[in-house]
Amino acid sequence: MPGRPSQPKDCVADRFSAFGTTIFAEMTRLAIEHDAINLSQGFPDFDGPGWIKDAAIRAIRDGHNQYPPTGGTPELALAIADAWRDQTGLDVDPARQVTVTSGCTEALAAAFLGLVNPGDEVVLFEPFYDSYRACVAMAGGIARFVQLRASEDLGTFQFDANTLREAFNERTKVVLLNTPHNPTGKVFTLEEMTLIAQLCVEHDVIAVTDEVYEHLVFDGSHIRLATLPGMAERTLTLSSMGKTFSLTGWKVGWAIGSAELTRAVRAAHQFLTFTTATPLQHAAAAAIRDPGDSITRLLDRYRQARDFLCAALSDLGFRVYIPAGTYFIMADHTAVSGPLGIADDAQFCRYLTTEIGVAAIPPGSFYSNPADGGRFVRFAFCKRRETLEAAVERLQKLRP
Ligand code: PMP
Ligand code: GLN
């Protein structure tokens, strides 16, 4: 129609206006544009095991191509329930307590939408994985942040117990715990998790745990919140196969919890995606039921990658917080960026990508106040050795 603008104005709903484009997509785009080695977005630059891919191809050929049940294929739900029993000693009914989702991302969205009413409070540790805050906003919840602060002495990130206690009140519905933690690489200790569990019980709060890095632990061990006293009934455990099997694009995830918590997840899941790709569920079931030595081998590989990149970054003057888990390194860049006259994480990561040819994530978008992440940079080391070596060679240009 003449005189009418062809695009509607302000078409993005207000609930998303604060979030913009995710930093992962933005940095990967910038990396491609500048031909930079991409240590920003966390995905392996090598493929997952061939036998898992073959299982998916076979499932397609065998005709597993129509909608599965909304909770997941019976084979995958059972494989998840059996693995859960082996890991925790807890029995879950695969039909009523396991929900297969499209990645952990969808499990998170379904959990928040299914559990949180407008005005309910959700406790988040920051820095946080970026989808949490957007999901809380989609549900109309209010996020309360508890910061993990870098401890120079301990070389790790810690929260203050009193700050956590103060974050819980009668409006708190959910606390989200991500361990092993992206982006800090922190693996929460039994003492820390015991306090979180006690607060949940005391305030009648539901815990949602994001355990996508459950198998990527180098130091210490992965503790599952659901196994702590009083927590089996009030914990919804979320995970996915992307990191464990180096198949991040498959987006097969799940939620494990009581029948009641599962009802909440499914209330949302049925209208979000309804189901998750059937043949990939068949392959996921095979992988989870019998991973062979694939996880141990991956862990060895990542341990070497972690040690290599941590040493190289320290040598360049970064203050590295050695990750106990995940495939990320958080480092303080100020000793390197200061002499270059660079002030913050966003500026430093842009400089790294465009001038040095190595892309990394500015962690500001993982904080409620982005300035709190200003002195940090996050590198992903889920890459082939030659990729990491090439990146380190380029980073030598940072030497004064
Ligand atoms: N949680 C965390 C902490 C992550 O780092 C990621 C990374 N992808 C996800 C959830 C999303 O998992 P998925 O790819 O299975 O959706
Ligand atoms: N989890 C990955 C990371 O933290 C990427 C996820 C994504 O691109 N949304 O880098």
Side-chain angles (χ1 to χ4, degrees):
M1 233 182 283
R4 276 256 183 115
S6 57
Q7 292 287 331
K9 227 174 157 189
D10 295 334
C11 60
V12 179
D14 294 345
R15 69 176 73 86
F16 292 111
S17 61
F19 303 110
T21 305
T22 89
I23 195 66
F24 305 115
E26 213 169 286
M27 291 315 299
T28 287
R29 187 194 52 74
L30 199 67
I32 293 168
E33 195 178 308
H34 292 272
D35 206 14
I37 297 172
N38 192 357
L39 305 189
S40 65
Q41 196 178 16
F43 61 88
D45 67 347
F46 51 89
D47 220 349
W51 59 273
I52 308 179
K53 296 193 291 180
D54 288 342
I57 293 163
R58 228 176 11 255
I60 291 174
R61 292 222 168 93
D62 289 351
H64 296 293
N65 299 306
Q66 309 307 332
Y67 296 131
T70 185
T73 63
E75 296 83 356
L76 178 54
L78 184 62
I80 292 167
D82 285 348
W84 181 248
R85 191 190 329 99
D86 292 347
Q87 290 154 358
T88 63
L90 299 169
D91 267 317
V92 288
D93 174 355
R96 294 164 59 243
Q97 296 185 256
V98 175
T99 307
V100 175
T101 58
S102 296
C104 184
T105 307
E106 197 233 331
L108 285 159
F112 285 119
L113 291 172
L115 290 169
V116 174
N117 280 312
D120 285 346
E121 292 191 7
V122 176
V123 176
L124 299 178
F125 289 93
E126 65 177 348
F128 45 76
Y129 182 58
D130 68 345
S131 87
Y132 305 159
R133 203 159 63 125
C135 284
V136 173
M138 277 194 267
I142 297 160
R144 297 276 307 245
F145 300 99
V146 176
Q147 199 163 119
L148 298 169
R149 290 181 198 281
S151 157
E152 278 292 325
D153 302 340
L154 300 172
T156 177
F157 287 72
Q158 309 276 95
F159 64 86
D160 174 64
N162 279 331
T163 312
L164 182 66
R165 279 192 198 97
E166 282 160 16
F168 279 72
N169 61 54
E170 68 283 358
R171 293 180 299 280
T172 312
K173 181 82 179 270
V174 171
V175 57
L176 190 131
L177 177 68
N178 169 218
T179 183
H181 182 261
N182 177 7
T184 64
K186 176 184 175 65
V187 174
F188 281 72
T189 63
L190 180 60
E191 191 188 348
E192 291 169 329
M193 291 175 64
T194 301
L195 175 61
I196 297 167
Q198 282 166 354
L199 289 168
C200 287
V201 172
E202 193 179 316
H203 293 272
D204 190 19
V205 165
I206 296 161
V208 176
T209 67
D210 175 343
E211 306 189 15
V212 295
Y213 300 99
E214 59 194 321
H215 295 291
L216 304 186
V217 177
F218 312 107
D219 307 318
S221 51
H222 175 54
I223 299 166
R224 296 171 193 278
L225 194 63
T227 62
L228 268 53
M231 294 308 288
E233 285 307 305
R234 58 175 68 252
T235 304
L236 196 57
T237 302
L238 313 183
S239 192
S240 71
M241 71 177 302
K243 289 70 174 81
T244 306
F245 297 104
S246 309
L247 295 162
T248 60
W250 280 28
K251 302 295 280 188
V252 177
W254 52 87
I256 305 169
S258 66
E260 199 51 24
L261 292 176
T262 298
R263 266 189 344 109
V265 170
R266 291 189 185 177
H269 166 69
Q270 64 181 338
F271 296 126
L272 283 172
T273 56
F274 184 54
T275 55
T276 295
T278 311
L280 300 185
Q281 293 198 45
H282 279 265
I288 290 167
R289 187 158 294 292
D290 186 11
D293 64 356
S294 60
I295 301 176
T296 335
R297 283 178 40 199
L298 185 69
L299 194 60
D300 279 351
R301 171 184 198 146
Y302 281 156
R303 186 191 303 279
Q304 286 174 34
R306 173 192 74 157
D307 294 348
F308 172 73
L309 193 57
C310 282
L313 292 171
S314 300
D315 184 51
L316 283 163
F318 289 92
R319 169 61 168 105
V320 168
Y321 292 86
I322 298 172
T326 76
Y327 47 48
F328 303 113
I329 298 170
M330 274 281 260
D332 184 323
H333 60 74
T334 47
V336 178
S337 57
L340 296 166
I342 292 174
D344 68 14
D345 58 327
Q347 218 187 336
F348 183 60
C349 287
R350 172 161 278 278
Y351 176 84
L352 272 187
T353 310
T354 60
E355 306 300 319
I356 305 291
V358 176
I361 292 285
S365 46
F366 304 151
Y367 287 86
S368 53
N369 174 13
D372 291 342
R375 64 195 170 99
F376 297 113
V377 52
R378 191 199 79 174
F379 294 95
F381 58 83
C382 45
K383 308 291 171 181
R384 287 170 293 146
R385 180 64 176 226
E386 52 264 44
T387 307
L388 295 174
E389 281 172 1
V392 166
E393 200 178 307
R394 290 187 182 187
L395 289 170
Q396 300 308 314
K397 284 183 267 174
L398 286 169
R399 287 193 192 280

